[in-house]
Amino acid sequence: MTTILVIEDVEALREEIMETLSYEGFDVLGAENGVVGVQTAKTYLPNLIICDIAMPELDGYGTLMALRQEPKTSMIPFIFLTAMTEKADMRQAMQMGADDYLTKPFTSAELLGAIASRLQKYNSVKEHYYDEIKAVGARFEYLSHHDGLTQLPNRILFHESLSQAVLHAKINNKSLALLFLDMDNFNIINNTLGNDIGDQLFKAIAERLKRYTAPCDMVARMQGDEFAMIISDVRDPMSIKLETQKILDLLSRPYNLYGHEVFITSSIGITIFPDDHQEVDGLIKNAELAMYYAKTHGRNSYKLYSSELNVQSSEYMALANSLHRALDRYEFRVFYQPLVNLQSGQIVGAEALARWQHPDLGIILPSKFIPVAEQTGLILRLSELVLREVCEQMRSWRESGIHYGFVAVNLSGQHFRPDNNLIEIIGKILQESSTEPHHLELELTESIIMQNAEFTIGILSQLQQMGVKVAIDDFGTGYSSLSYLKHFPVNTLKIDRCFIQDVTTDRHDATISLAIIDLGHSLSLQVIAEGVETAEQVQFLKEHGCDQMQGYFFSPPLPAPEFEKMLIDGKCL
């Protein structure tokens, strides 16, 4: 029922108005002056107020001002009643916020007409206001459940949807797969191409995943460069493996953004309900663990969850914690594997390889601790430590009159970021150890170069200007573009051991190895074969013009004193 408050000091008129309004079906309140009227309005919050102007204690103007200053009464429609007929009085009333103005005497029809008009307008404004509130509420609801950049469901909505999907699968006795996806080295793109291109790449990734996802399934952005997918009605592990490989292939296709051709790969963890876990939080934990494993074991790959990963995860955490202490305690040792000229048979240099001398576990190989160092960001400290030790060792050999040629040191892709000051670090180490730059060679893989070829070319050019040599390691296993390769300021190509292993028995490996040798020489580069283990491999490489080799056929990696003895003894092939 609509409530109207009548504020009028003339009792007879007040009663007459109240009786008229009650007859018309309104709920009516009365007040004999402005002070009582204001208090009544605050207490009962009527839908409309009718108020005389000339009243004792607090007149109509004062009443209106008091009500408009109170938030909960400020919007109540307000009609003045007065015997004053001057336009100035009317203007003052309207300027103070009155909604209408009735002059005495007035008829019942005039009063009811004014009330009907004010209530209609008030209800219209109120409906519009409520519509706006609903729209804002709906927008807030959407934003609280969706990622603002990609418009994908966010972690909150994903958790709710996964709960519903698990319940549905339980009721219908079906399986579902949960996939967690993490973009590999996304921060390199942000650091080198800028956040705008990074944001556009996120949108492009989201669009590809949305187009791929079936209507009954879901894709969400969890945080940063991490996405998640729910795939329902999974038949068996093999089918989800095939689906996941399609997703990897889909995401690895190039993206054209603002004139840049951008490449990105992903690491995906998979867990299956109900085989791996039957609760939502357990499934999420499994998928994250499997994704983490895929990321630390090669990237651009997927891993299906198994209970063994929990053990491996515990081992990883223990290794990561130990790695921090190992750097502080200088537990790392540098071994040197000789590089041999295939024509003269003489040692021309060495590759420096880090070994972790763990106090309890003994020697830990790089394949075990390098992924942990990469993932934890400790690779930068470790590489700098190795670089410094190698340069100090070279100084020691020089001072002893030992000719060692040059030493190659492997670098992580994390060094090739704008904020890591690689050039300054290398320059400082060379200066402090009094090492000539041409005695140092830096090895990096194809994937590092191709992450951001233009930026990397600039860094490599500066290294060349310094006199530091550069080698592309594991050549042939990555995805480098030959059109880019001719622009890379590098000195050496290293043929990966996977091609050398069967080079004398496998026609394809032989063809690839010969092609790399020819390519390197056509670009005036030295070519080194890695992993040489037999006399037949040595003979094949010599006959086809490969420049250098390294491998167990000549020598495994050696501690500095043993390599030094080999140099002094003048060991040859």
Side-chain angles (χ1 to χ4, degrees), residues 140-161:
F140 177 78
E141 177 73 13
Y142 179 86
L143 291 175
S144 65
H145 287 82
H146 289 79
D147 172 54
L149 179 64
T150 64
Q151 304 304 308
L152 289 177
N154 63 12
R155 181 180 285 273
I156 296 172
L157 182 54
F158 174 80
H159 198 282
E160 294 173 1
S161 300

Side-chain angles (χ1 to χ4, degrees), residues 289 308-321:
L289 184 58
E308 296 174 359
L309 293 186
N310 288 318
V311 176
Q312 294 171 359
S313 177
S314 299
E315 291 177 352
Y316 173 89
M317 291 304 298
L319 205 60
N321 291 333

Side-chain angles (χ1 to χ4, degrees), residues 308-482:
E308 296 174 359
L309 293 186
N310 288 318
V311 176
Q312 294 171 359
S313 177
S314 299
E315 291 177 352
Y316 173 89
M317 291 304 298
L319 205 60
N321 291 333
S322 297
L323 193 57
H324 280 277
R325 292 193 297 271
L327 286 166
D328 294 333
R329 297 172 182 174
Y330 300 98
E331 293 176 0
F332 289 91
R333 305 289 178 264
V334 178
F335 281 45
Y336 297 85
Q337 184 167 41
L339 294 165
V340 180
N341 184 298
L342 278 162
Q343 303 309 314
S344 69
Q346 294 180 328
I347 298 173
V348 293
E351 179 180 356
L353 299 164
R355 299 290 186 266
W356 181 0
Q357 184 69 53
H358 195 283
D360 301 319
L361 303 176
I363 291 289
I364 300 177
L365 296 178
S367 59
K368 190 83 170 177
F369 67 80
I370 290 296
V372 181
E374 290 270 6
Q375 191 67 27
T376 56
L378 294 172
I379 191 67
L380 297 175
R381 281 185 63 195
L382 176 58
S383 295
E384 188 171 342
L385 183 150
V386 171
L387 264 172
R388 196 172 293 280
E389 184 169 333
V390 164
C391 288
E392 288 297 332
Q393 182 62 66
M394 286 193 286
R395 171 166 42 189
S396 174
W397 286 331
R398 283 195 310 277
E399 291 175 350
S400 301
I402 298 172
H403 298 287
Y404 54 86
F406 68 94
V407 179
V409 178
N410 291 279
L411 286 185
S412 161
Q414 293 187 31
H415 289 282
F416 289 84
R417 297 177 186 171
D419 54 345
N420 283 336
N421 304 317
L422 177 62
I423 300 299
E424 290 83 348
I425 291 170
I426 292 173
K428 182 180 179 183
I429 292 174
L430 290 174
Q431 183 179 17
E432 291 176 351
S433 62
S434 301
T435 298
E436 292 293 329
H438 66 270
H439 288 299
L440 177 65
E441 181 173 82
L442 300 177
E443 293 188 3
L444 54 158
T445 63
E446 292 176 86
S447 58
I448 293 174
I449 292 176
M450 293 307 296
Q451 275 294 338
N452 183 13
E454 294 176 8
F455 176 77
T456 307
I457 286 173
I459 296 293
L460 298 183
S461 297
Q462 292 181 67
L463 290 171
Q464 290 280 32
Q465 289 169 11
M466 291 171 62
V468 175
K469 294 188 289 187
V470 177
I472 301 180
D473 196 13
D474 302 335
F475 189 78
T477 61
Y479 49 88
S480 59
S481 164
L482 294 182

